[in-house]
């Protein structure tokens, strides 16, 4: 678990804005509401981030499972759109069920799935894998993969690198990766653009942190899959089918991933202020500083 503060995490995202999509210029105004129930009549589809919206770490946000069920009962489409690349899809479904959520498998859209879709045409390559062994390789069957750990040999011999989970990643491994890329630049595909994720007792450091670090040090430009980039929303819209984009709302706790991603996708956005990234923080000041303005600020899901 990282000792990074919310303020430091915010500045880390600001420092890499040149690698993120451009924000949509607005007059800076937004509407404040208490819960998603206040917006139910205005939207037909709700795209929900996971961390900071559905759950904090391994704990569901109180009342949110019931809110999701109420939206579905009202005829709304509710999809999870998450940068959860480190876990197989089945494991995520098991987790959401354990937390009290009832999502269909096709209604959970992840950056892991987005990355795998982006591998079409490159599946014959030998990939070095940043991932945690304990989560397993479900969904990744058929790929030629070698875990990146302490042995320097794979870093030199693989054709490219997949960064999907950083729970077991270390500075020593990062140093090996950066040295290998400086010696022989190769593709780097990032399955989770998040720099941090909110947990019960702070923030975890996510693959995006290490991807931006290697980009700064090696001049290799990673390819990102997930929010705030359009590719994950393209996959979500395929799952939604025919939909009026003006009636779609992205709900998240991060300006630089969820809200910026919604702008990139051309849909409305709601920033959760009471949980996740901005819990206890000055949301108004952060919005003004980043110049990333949500359509709504919502106290709780």
């Amino acid at each position: 678990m990282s000792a990074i503060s919310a303020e430091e995490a915010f500045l880390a995202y600001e420092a890499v804005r040149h690698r993120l999509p451009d924000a949509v210029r607005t007059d800076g105004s937004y509407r404040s509401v208490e819960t998603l129930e206040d917006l139910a009549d205005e939207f037909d589809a709700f795209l929900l981030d996971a961390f900071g919206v559905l759950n904090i770490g391994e704990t569901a946000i109180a009342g949110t499972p019931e809110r999701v069920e109420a939206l579905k009962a009202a005829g709304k489409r509710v999809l999870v759109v998450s940068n959860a690349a480190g876990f197989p899809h089945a494991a995520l479904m098991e987790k959401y069920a354990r937390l009290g959520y009832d999502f269909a498998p096709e209604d959970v859209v992840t950056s892991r799935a987005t990355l795998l879709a982006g591998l079409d045409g490159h599946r014959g390559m030998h990939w070095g894998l940043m991932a945690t062994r304990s989560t397993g390789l479900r969904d990744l069957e058929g790929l030629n993969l070698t875990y990146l750990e302490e042995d320097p040999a794979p870093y030199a011999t693989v054709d490219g690198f997949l960064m999907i989970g950083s729970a077991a990643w270390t500075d020593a491994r990062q140093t090996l990766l950066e040295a290998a890329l400086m010696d022989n630049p190769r593709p780097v595909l990032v399955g989770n653009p998040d720099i941090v994720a909110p947990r019960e007792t702070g923030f975890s450091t996510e693959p995006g942190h290490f991807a931006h670090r290697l980009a700064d040090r090696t001049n290799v430009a990673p390819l990102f899959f997930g929010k705030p980039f359009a590719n994950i929303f393209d996959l979500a819209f395929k799952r939604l089918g025919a939909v009026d984009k003006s009636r779609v709302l992205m709900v998240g706790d991060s300006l630089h991933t969820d809200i910026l991603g919604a702008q990139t996708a051309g849909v409305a956005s709601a920033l959760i202020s009471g949980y996740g990234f901005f819990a206890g923080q000055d949301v108004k000041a952060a919005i003004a500083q980043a110049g990333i303005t949500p359509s709504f600020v919502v106290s709780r899901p």
Side-chain angles (χ1 to χ4, degrees):
M1 192 68 63
S2 171
I4 189 172
S5 67
E7 293 88 346
E8 290 168 329
F10 178 89
L11 292 175
Y13 278 111
E14 283 291 283
V16 300
R17 289 288 291 273
H18 57 291
R19 295 193 192 99
L20 304 182
D22 292 333
V24 173
R25 291 184 176 274
T26 72
D27 62 5
S29 62
Y30 52 84
R31 207 168 98 212
S32 295
V33 300
E34 187 62 26
T35 74
L36 294 179
E37 183 180 4
D38 300 313
L39 300 175
D41 290 341
E42 299 178 42
F43 297 96
D44 299 324
F46 290 76
L47 311 180
L48 306 182
D49 181 33
F51 283 96
V53 177
L54 299 179
N55 58 290
I56 302 295
E58 298 303 313
T59 306
I61 293 176
T64 307
E66 294 81 3
R67 182 83 64 217
V68 170
E69 287 308 306
L71 290 172
K72 292 197 292 185
K76 311 299 180 180
R77 286 295 305 280
V78 182
L79 271 63
V80 179
V81 179
S82 170
N83 284 352
F87 294 94
H89 196 80
L92 279 183
M93 298 308 301
E94 292 160 6
K95 174 180 179 176
Y96 295 144
R98 191 168 61 248
L99 295 179
Y101 294 103
D102 182 21
F103 295 112
E106 63 272 17
D107 287 343
V108 176
V109 180
T110 66
S111 55
R112 185 184 183 98
T114 308
L115 170 64
L116 288 171
L119 279 179
D120 287 344
H122 303 283
R123 290 180 175 268
M125 294 174 62
H126 180 195
W127 296 99
L129 181 64
M130 172 209 265
T132 306
R133 280 186 181 269
S134 61
T135 62
L137 294 175
R138 286 178 294 175
D139 308 334
L140 306 177
E141 299 92 347
L143 296 179
N144 184 6
L145 301 170
T146 298
Y147 280 105
L148 299 173
E149 295 176 322
E150 277 61 50
D151 180 3
Y155 294 83
T157 58
V158 298
D159 301 317
F161 301 92
L162 303 181
M163 306 178 76
I164 67 170
S166 56
W169 197 245
T170 65
D171 280 339
R173 296 177 186 183
Q174 179 75 9
T175 298
L176 286 172
L177 176 58
E178 291 169 3
L181 286 168
M182 285 187 279
D183 182 61
N184 178 18
R186 281 155 287 170
V188 176
L189 278 58
V190 186
N192 182 351
D194 287 356
I195 293 175
V196 297
R199 307 281 177 168
E200 289 94 334
T201 57
F203 291 97
S204 59
T205 303
E206 299 298 318
H209 166 81
F210 297 103
H212 287 293
R213 176 178 145 177
L214 74 81
D216 290 336
R217 297 184 181 185
T218 70
N219 290 322
V220 171
L223 295 177
F224 292 96
F225 295 85
K227 299 171 296 182
F229 299 90
N231 42 39
I232 193 169
F233 291 96
D234 292 340
L235 187 56
F237 288 130
K238 286 182 181 178
R239 303 283 176 86
L240 280 175
V243 64
D244 179 354
K245 290 179 74 171
S246 71
R247 299 279 297 178
V248 177
L249 180 70
M250 175 69 215
V251 183
D253 71 315
S254 167
L255 287 171
H256 296 89
T257 57
D258 303 308
I259 306 308
L260 186 58
Q263 292 185 351
T264 303
V267 299
S269 62
L271 179 69
I272 301 296
S273 60
Y275 294 85
F277 197 102
F278 288 109
Q281 305 299 312
D282 186 342
V283 170
K284 183 176 181 180
I287 291 170
Q289 183 176 348
I292 302 170
T293 306
S295 312
F296 308 93
V297 171
V298 183
S299 298
R300 58 175 296 127

